[in-house]
Amino acid sequence: APTKYFDFDVSEDYGAPDCVEKVIRLINNEWPPKPMHVNTGDNVVITVRNKLFTESLTVHIHGLLFKGAPWADGAPHITQEPLPPGKEQVLSFNVGDQVGTYFAHAHNNLQELSVYTPFIVHDDNMEMQALGYHDERIITLSDNYHRDTDALMAGLRGPQYRWTGDAQSLLTNGIGSFQGPCSIRPDGQPYPSSWSITEVQPGRTYRLRIINAAALGYFQFQISGHRMVVVEADGMLIEPFEIEALTINSGQRYSVLLTTDQPPQDYWVNHQIIWRRTGPQNGWSLLRYTSANIPFGAIPVVPSVLPPRLPEVPDYMERFLLPRLNDPRGVVPPATRQLMFRFRSQASPATESRVRWTFNERDWRDPVNTIMLMQKLGQLRTPQDAAHGQVVHLRRGEVIDVIMQGQTNQMGVCEDHPIHLHGHGFWDLGSGPGTFINEQAPPVPSVAVFRDTTTVYAYSNLNAAAAAPPGTDCGWRRFRFVADNPGAWLLHCHIPAHLVNGMAAAFLEIPEDIPAPPSDINNWRPISF
Ligand code: C2O
């Protein structure tokens, strides 16, 4: 198989992704960074260099399975210790038969929210034929805080506990506008644009690969004047269905087909937060039809008045999400073991005042040693030895039914949570309000969409008065996966501010078959110039 080489240098500098200056992180000296493109079956070699001033780093590619290469997963303290500043490391793996839309992001502390870029696995002949599109565009949706990540981290982990609050702006492909258009940077140079522009030609069909890389935003995504046909969810082709508003949670990806059959001009594209409605309302970008009058790359003429907020639609996509007919990956096997994770936030014991997010009453804290390495060295007597949080041992071939039971937080409020599993896709088997009870649960469907990030719904409004004591059941989500990938894999909330307060557990899967670690594991080279 061909080998694709990438550099992934992470550094920091002043920047203003939404016209307000702050310290930002760059990938390969750029923001926004360039997407990474590979083909099915490629070997991939990524040299990660930590050029940050103080913070250790890991890089994870969200949704990839890392079969046979679990050491490349980038889960901090699980598959490696974080890479210190001034060091470099090589991640190498084969993408196997995976195809579709993924993204690379940093994973230590709150790095998810500031370091991310699309990672696309192409399989052109098959996909072009199957989906019938001319070309494709990537639209990465995210959010942006004006405080830098150190300040946010100090609030979450410090003794006084300060919630991050809402982001200040919503970005598209890494840029946006806090309060209307900005034209002059603090250094006096003009910005190329305050809004991201997706250029298309009239009379064609495009595949838009939409990625939610947000820290907090659960988004509704719409393109004015156009409907979309949804064809991919988290790397799986699905039975196409038409929609006017896509709902997408942090960590999820969809591809939609867009036909450019409207009069050639600019169209507003909007992503808005559908659940934490106190959040920013500036998630705008432009879809531009290029033509003789509006040539490719033209300086944008941006309307000075923003369109009004679009009506919020409920997340009705879920009921349409079905695997393609005859796709054997969609067939759900019977479970051999059920695991229940009850999660909630609670105040810490008197010795510390910060909030802990617990899975089955245990919050994940960075263990002192890499779990997988300890296993390999025989120092892990029981999986639980590794960490303060929960580590569940899985045996080869087990079919694991996971129930995520959401509970009220320390304020007695139910919240929406995007839940992501490393190292696996899973059959997403539905959700319901209240308490999960096996005998009363809806029947498990015989086919289901196979994805890697799903939502445990709040089933109530964020602003509803705290009606229940902390730890009351809000709603549940069920999914299922086969233990067939030796490694140690994180299961966590994809809201980084919840993750850093412990909202995670890990699976130690088929440990006897975990391959030997790379020779430089946890003993990183200095950056070579
Ligand atoms: Cu995109 Cu562990 O996350």
Side-chain angles (χ1 to χ4, degrees):
T3 301
K4 297 265 165 58
Y5 294 90
F6 295 95
D7 289 322
F8 202 108
D9 289 16
V10 181
S11 60
E12 54 205 329
D13 196 359
Y14 283 92
D18 69 344
C19 312
V20 176
E21 192 175 60
K22 63 167 193 170
V23 175
I24 63 167
R25 271 83 188 268
L26 309 176
I27 301 175
N28 297 329
N29 294 313
E30 288 186 301
W31 190 265
K34 291 195 175 52
M36 302 161 84
H37 293 277
V38 304
N39 294 313
T40 300
D42 278 353
N43 293 315
V44 178
V45 177
I46 303 174
T47 304
V48 177
R49 296 188 188 86
N50 185 352
K51 297 181 173 175
L52 298 173
F53 296 111
T54 58
E55 196 181 31
S56 297
L57 172 79
T58 69
V59 172
H60 167 64
I61 303 173
H62 181 115
L64 289 197
L65 302 179
F66 299 103
K67 284 231 164 122
W71 303 95
D73 184 53
H77 308 288
I78 295 181
T79 60
Q80 66 169 90
E81 291 307 297
L83 182 67
K87 302 282 187 175
E88 68 179 33
Q89 112 181 78
V90 174
L91 302 173
S92 81
F93 56 92
N94 186 285
V95 294
D97 60 4
Q98 287 190 271
V99 61
T101 308
Y102 303 88
F103 65 116
H105 64 76
H107 210 308
N108 196 29
N109 297 339
L110 289 173
Q111 287 164 358
E112 252 181 76
L113 62 80
S114 57
V115 182
Y116 48 85
T117 195
F119 186 96
I120 308 298
V121 186
H122 296 271
D123 182 7
D124 289 335
N125 295 336
M126 195 196 86
E127 292 201 343
M128 296 274 184
Q129 276 168 22
L131 301 176
Y133 53 89
H134 298 102
D135 204 350
E136 60 177 72
R137 300 285 185 262
I138 303 170
I139 297 184
T140 303
L141 310 174
S142 64
D143 45 19
N144 176 58
Y145 285 88
H146 288 164
R147 277 178 292 161
D148 67 32
T149 53
D150 280 351
L152 297 172
M153 190 70 185
L156 294 168
R157 285 277 188 89
Q160 295 181 48
Y161 186 76
R162 280 194 207 175
W163 172 238
T164 57
D166 292 315
Q168 279 66 55
S169 51
L170 305 182
L171 309 182
T172 303
N173 291 332
I175 63 172
S177 173
F178 176 48
Q179 288 171 324
C182 52
S183 51
I184 304 294
R185 296 197 308 214
D187 63 4
Q189 294 301 112
Y191 284 103
S193 168
S194 315
W195 284 289
S196 171
I197 299 178
T198 300
E199 292 184 317
V200 293
Q201 290 171 7
R204 313 198 108 203
T205 298
Y206 290 87
R207 176 186 193 163
L208 304 183
R209 297 178 182 268
I210 299 160
I211 299 166
N212 185 340
L216 205 51
Y218 184 11
F219 294 133
Q220 171 180 310
F221 173 87
Q222 282 168 280
I223 302 175
S224 54
H226 295 77
R227 293 174 70 86
M228 302 171 275
V229 176
V230 188
V231 292
E232 179 210 346
D234 294 359
M236 185 190 212
L237 293 184
I238 55 172
E239 271 299 298
F241 61 93
E242 200 182 71
I243 203 158
E244 62 190 295
L246 185 83
T247 46
I248 181 167
N249 210 342
S250 173
Q252 295 185 317
R253 293 88 61 211
Y254 289 104
S255 284
V256 301
L257 299 183
L258 174 87
T259 303
T260 49
D261 54 4
Q262 298 301 307
Q265 59 180 65
D266 286 353
Y267 293 90
W268 281 112
V269 180
N270 170 233
H271 62 295
Q272 61 171 306
I273 296 170
I274 54 170
W275 188 73
R276 292 174 189 274
R277 298 205 70 197
T278 51
Q281 302 188 16
N282 47 18
W284 301 102
S285 69
L286 289 167
L287 177 77
R288 162 161 303 170
Y289 283 43
T290 58
S291 65
N293 296 336
I294 315 174
F296 192 84
I299 300 298
V301 181
V302 171
S304 55
V305 178
L306 289 177
R309 188 182 182 103
L310 298 164
E312 180 175 331
V313 297
D315 183 358
Y316 59 88
M317 291 219 334
E318 186 168 338
R319 78 178 104 118
F320 295 113
L321 283 175
L322 287 170
R324 292 228 149 176
L325 298 175
N326 305 323
D327 182 345
R329 281 200 306 162
V331 178
V332 182
T336 62
R337 180 177 175 192
Q338 191 175 68
L339 295 172
M340 161 77 81
F341 293 96
R342 291 185 181 84
F343 59 86
R344 63 178 178 129
S345 63
Q346 38 190 309
S348 288
T351 48
E352 33 174 341
S353 59
R354 77 174 162 104
V355 165
R356 305 182 299 140
W357 272 99
T358 54
F359 272 17
N360 295 337
E361 298 300 308
R362 303 174 72 114
D363 56 321
W364 183 266
R365 299 203 193 167
D366 300 342
V368 264
N369 285 301
T370 308
I371 290 176
M372 229 161 48
L373 188 62
M374 290 178 74
Q375 173 65 30
K376 237 22 220 179
L377 298 176
Q379 293 168 2
L380 203 58
R381 291 178 302 278
T382 66
Q384 198 57 65
D385 281 357
H388 185 275
Q390 193 175 18
V391 183
V392 182
H393 189 161
L394 305 181
R395 290 173 294 274
R396 184 178 285 284
E398 286 187 303
V399 182
I400 309 294
D401 205 33
V402 176
I403 312 297
M404 302 298 305
Q405 175 68 62
Q407 300 183 320
T408 46
N409 66 13
Q410 84 279 10
M411 326 257 283
V413 172
C414 296
E415 299 183 49
D416 271 17
H417 295 277
I419 300 292
H420 172 53
L421 175 59
H422 288 219
H424 287 281
F426 51 70
W427 292 278
D428 198 358
L429 301 178
S431 63
T435 305
F436 179 84
I437 300 169
N438 262 312
E439 297 68 38
Q440 292 167 18
V444 169
S446 56
V447 297
V449 67
F450 193 75
R451 67 183 318 171
D452 55 60
T453 310
T454 188
T455 303
V456 179
Y457 297 119
Y459 287 105
S460 81
N461 192 299
L462 174 64
N463 301 317
T472 304
D473 289 341
C474 299
W476 52 269
R477 164 72 58 180
R478 176 183 214 161
F479 61 81
R480 196 171 282 184
F481 69 97
V482 179
D484 60 0
N485 193 9
W489 308 112
L490 201 56
L491 170 73
H492 67 93
C493 178
H494 213 264
I495 294 174
H498 289 169
L499 173 60
V500 300
N501 283 127
M503 201 171 170
F507 294 116
L508 182 60
E509 183 168 336
I510 325 173
E512 61 281 11
D513 290 346
I514 293 175
S519 55
D520 63 347
I521 184 85
N522 293 349
N523 184 18
W524 318 115
R525 284 191 307 274
I527 292 175
S528 49
F529 289 94

